[in-house]
Amino acid sequence: MAQEAGMFMVNQTIGSVLCCKCGILMQPNPANMCTKCLRSEVDITEGLQKHVVIVHCPECDTYLQPPRTWIKAQLESKELLTFCVKRLKNLNKVRLVHAEFIWTEPHSKRIKVKLTVQKEVLNRAILEQSYIVEYVVHEQMCESCTRVQANPDQWVAAVQLRQHVSHRRTFFYLEQLILKHNAAGRCIRIKQMDQGIDFFFSNRSHAVKFVEFLGKVAPVRYRNDKQLVSHDTKSNNYNYKHTFSVEICPICREDLICLPPKVAVSLGNLGPLVICTKISNNIALMDPFTLRHCFLDADQYWRTSFKSLLSSRQLVEYIVLDVEPVSSEVVVGGSRYVLADAQVARVSDFGKNDTIFSVRTHLGHLLSPGDNALGYDFYAANSNDIELDKYKGLVLPEVVLIKKSYEEKRQKKRGKPRAWKLRSLDMEVDNTAKGRDHEEKMNSEYEQFLRDLEENPELRFNISLYQNKEYQPSEMASVTDGEEVPSVPLDELLADLDLSDVEVEDDGMME
């Protein structure tokens, strides 16, 4: 601005002085000494630790934070760098500017960290200096790993997860949720039981955290007990074994429920015949004849618990003869429904009789004439339910349709591998009273669970599906199949990480 106005400006220059030690020309500073002379006179790293010993557990890959805390950290991670810096004493006498790892051989049991610090020295001059701290890693197992190595069956806390139903579809889904969130990462043993799964932990706090996770993904209730194992009278120490008994509500998705009169009144005279459309930490119920719906949390359910009138194992296959929509599309809990009047006939009656049922269904957006559907048959069922008997004069529908069936189209693809797969927990199977029939039942239930994942995008929203390397798409299948069977889109699949492949690649890079 001054030059544009034609004013005379004096150029400002920085003066220089001679170092009082070596006499070289330099910019002035409060000490009047150059950087080399200042470092030779003052060492700001004096009194700081250069060698530190840290304790590492090779089994669980954790480091000991005295006195008894074990911190999990990977090599050259932010967590390990923070842990190493916090182990240094007298570091508050200087100002830490920067910290970074220096590469060392993984098997050398040495970790080197380069620190850059600043400190005021002579006449308030600020000196910056870098130095290296060497950490010597001593291998020592933590208490939980020592206990497991001494006796793998020695556990401190056990979580007994149970659901009193005739199938294991709920546990198949819970297994995938546990794997995705790594909720069972602290388990020392997992055992499959007849009506549930047992999880064993080496610490009570790990079991409590696992029970809290179950309460967030399913409507559960639990009770805990403890048993005295040993008692040291001198030190007054008690060793207990803790057991958590967790019960999942017996209501499952696609179950038909007859609500107790008190529950139906509290829900605004809903039902009384409703179907369960979704299970999470809440239970989603819907009246298939009016599309009215409600949500029950775990506390509301266990306060007045009820059971299913009919379960998915009692579904009967029907063929749709005619569909006439009654209402417009309605969104309930993220899912679309359309109320419609339909005429259906049992597939098993073909060639025997001409029995046709007129029903009202919530599947008007899915069904078309000629489609197959699964539903509950009240026409031939002999229902013996206490809650149903409390409703005097209740007219039961002949059929309640639950979902569309793709069984006829799946016959063409039977035996062919899927483009995706699931991972499973490392469980021990209880072999008591098992037979070939039980194995076939488990395989059929698991296959039905896989089909449910293909048909219901909401069901696979919270789980991880992986690409199947053995899958080879067939061009002829897409031409001859006609209408597509529900499947999982490829963009929803995750790449299956093979640890052996990663190790081979790392070895090749080192060579």
Side-chain angles (χ1 to χ4, degrees):
M1 295 291 295
Q3 292 180 357
E4 293 177 359
M7 297 176 61
F8 175 75
M9 295 293 297
V10 178
N11 294 328
Q12 296 182 358
T13 58
I14 301 176
S16 57
V17 297
L18 298 178
C19 175
C20 63
K21 288 288 185 180
C22 60
I24 66 171
L25 200 64
M26 66 169 195
Q27 293 183 0
N29 57 43
N32 286 331
M33 280 191 288
C34 64
T35 305
K36 292 183 179 180
C37 295
L38 194 59
R39 287 178 178 174
S40 63
E41 290 290 329
V42 181
D43 184 12
I44 63 175
T45 63
E46 185 178 359
L48 301 180
Q49 286 183 293
K50 306 292 195 308
H51 299 276
V52 183
V53 177
I54 58 177
V55 179
H56 174 250
C57 177
E59 296 295 328
C60 57
D61 197 17
T62 56
Y63 294 87
L64 176 62
Q65 177 73 45
R68 298 181 61 181
T69 306
W70 291 86
I71 299 174
K72 190 173 183 63
Q74 300 293 333
L75 282 177
E76 297 191 1
S77 63
K78 293 182 180 179
E79 294 79 8
L80 183 57
L81 185 60
T82 304
F83 167 76
C84 292
V85 172
K86 287 184 177 180
R87 288 301 311 275
L88 297 176
K89 298 179 181 179
N90 300 328
L91 197 61
N92 55 353
K93 296 182 179 179
V94 295
R95 180 173 176 265
L96 181 62
V97 178
H98 182 68
E100 62 180 356
F101 285 106
I102 296 179
W103 187 85
T104 56
E105 292 286 349
H107 59 271
S108 64
K109 304 302 178 184
R110 297 291 188 276
I111 298 176
K112 292 185 178 181
V113 178
K114 183 180 179 181
L115 301 177
T116 303
V117 294
Q118 291 180 350
K119 186 179 180 181
E120 287 188 2
V121 291
L122 304 174
N123 297 326
R124 295 184 179 180
I126 298 177
L127 181 62
E128 182 175 301
Q129 189 173 347
S130 299
Y131 70 106
I132 296 176
V133 182
E134 184 180 46
Y135 296 86
V136 181
V137 181
H138 284 187
E139 302 288 356
Q140 177 183 334
M141 286 193 294
C142 60
E143 295 179 2
S144 59
C145 294
T146 304
R147 189 181 297 111
V148 172
Q149 290 293 330
N151 184 4
D153 295 331
Q154 187 176 1
W155 49 271
V156 175
V159 178
Q160 299 174 347
L161 186 61
R162 298 290 184 270
Q163 186 185 33
H164 302 295
V165 293
S166 59
H167 56 81
R168 297 187 64 89
R169 289 165 55 194
T170 303
F171 294 103
F172 292 144
Y173 182 66
L174 275 179
E175 181 182 7
Q176 299 305 317
L177 291 179
I178 291 171
L179 284 170
K180 181 173 182 177
H181 298 279
N182 196 25
R186 298 282 188 171
C187 275
I188 59 175
R189 191 159 63 100
I190 305 175
K191 187 175 183 181
Q192 178 180 317
M193 304 302 291
D194 187 23
Q195 287 190 328
I197 307 175
D198 288 352
F199 299 86
F200 299 93
F201 299 88
S202 59
N203 198 322
R204 181 181 180 277
S205 61
H206 300 159
V208 172
K209 186 176 181 180
F210 181 71
V211 172
E212 292 176 352
F213 168 78
L214 294 176
K216 295 177 181 178
V217 297
V220 300
R221 65 176 177 180
Y222 72 94
R223 60 185 296 266
N224 60 315
D225 297 303
K226 61 181 180 180
Q227 179 184 4
L228 182 63
V229 178
S230 62
H231 174 214
D232 188 354
T233 57
K234 295 182 179 180
S235 60
N236 201 26
N237 289 333
Y238 295 84
N239 291 328
Y240 291 98
K241 278 192 172 182
H242 303 268
T243 303
F244 295 84
S245 178
V246 183
E247 181 184 358
I248 306 175
C249 80
I251 304 297
C252 299
R253 196 174 61 88
E254 299 174 355
D255 284 359
L256 183 67
I257 304 161
C258 179
L259 294 176
K262 291 184 179 180
V263 178
V265 171
S266 66
L267 297 176
N269 291 323
L270 181 70
L273 290 180
V274 296
I275 59 176
C276 178
T277 58
K278 186 177 180 181
I279 289 284
S280 57
N281 56 346
N282 295 326
I283 304 174
L285 303 177
M286 185 182 68
D287 188 342
F289 311 112
T290 62
L291 297 186
R292 292 182 59 196
H293 64 282
C294 70
F295 296 92
L296 294 178
D297 58 19
D299 294 336
Q300 290 176 316
Y301 172 78
W302 291 113
R303 196 179 302 123
T304 55
S305 60
F306 47 85
K307 295 184 179 180
S308 301
L309 179 62
L310 296 172
S311 65
S312 58
R313 295 177 63 87
Q314 298 167 284
L315 288 172
V316 178
E317 190 171 6
Y318 293 85
I319 186 169
V320 180
L321 304 178
D322 188 22
V323 177
E324 183 178 352
V326 175
S327 66
S328 58
E329 185 177 288
V330 178
V331 178
V332 178
S335 300
R336 297 180 298 125
Y337 299 100
V338 173
L339 208 59
D341 290 331
Q343 290 185 345
V344 297
R346 283 181 298 218
V347 174
S348 59
D349 288 345
F350 270 47
K352 298 180 181 179
N353 56 57
D354 297 331
T355 306
I356 297 177
F357 304 100
S358 296
V359 299
R360 175 156 289 191
T361 178
H362 60 292
L363 303 176
H365 63 298
L366 292 177
L367 299 181
S368 301
D371 290 343
N372 288 11
L374 294 176
Y376 295 113
D377 186 6
F378 277 102
Y379 181 78
N382 183 14
S383 59
N384 184 14
D385 187 73
I386 299 177
E387 304 299 340
L388 192 62
D389 296 338
K390 294 179 181 179
Y391 292 93
K392 304 298 182 181
L394 178 64
V395 179
L396 295 177
E398 295 177 327
V399 177
V400 179
L401 297 182
I402 299 299
K403 63 178 181 179
K404 186 176 179 179
S405 175
Y406 301 90
E407 183 63 28
E408 185 177 347
K409 299 181 179 63
R410 291 185 189 276
Q411 295 289 341
K412 302 176 183 179
K413 292 189 175 183
R414 177 161 293 182
K416 298 179 181 178
R418 289 180 169 85
W420 54 277
K421 62 180 181 179
L422 298 174
R423 291 184 176 179
S424 58
L425 291 171
D426 186 13
M427 285 190 292
E428 302 176 9
V429 181
D430 186 13
N431 293 321
T432 58
K434 303 293 181 182
R436 185 175 179 181
D437 294 339
H438 177 78
E439 184 179 355
E440 293 178 355
K441 176 187 173 183
M442 290 283 291
N443 293 335
S444 63
E445 290 177 355
Y446 189 71
E447 176 65 24
Q448 184 59 44
F449 170 68
L450 298 181
R451 293 180 181 181
D452 290 343
L453 291 180
E454 292 177 335
E455 297 173 7
N456 194 343
E458 292 184 7
L459 197 61
R460 60 176 183 263
F461 178 74
N462 292 323
I463 65 177
S464 298
L465 286 75
Y466 298 90
Q467 296 177 1
N468 187 4
K469 296 181 180 180
E470 300 177 357
Y471 173 74
Q472 295 181 353
S474 175
E475 297 180 357
M476 296 299 296
S478 61
V479 175
T480 59
D481 284 350
E483 184 182 351
E484 287 293 333
V485 178
S487 59
V488 180
L490 294 179
D491 55 358
E492 294 185 16
L493 304 182
L494 302 176
D496 189 12
L497 179 61
D498 192 352
L499 297 180
S500 60
D501 295 344
V502 177
E503 292 177 358
V504 171
E505 292 179 1
D506 291 343
D507 293 342
M509 293 175 63
M510 292 177 63
E511 291 176 1

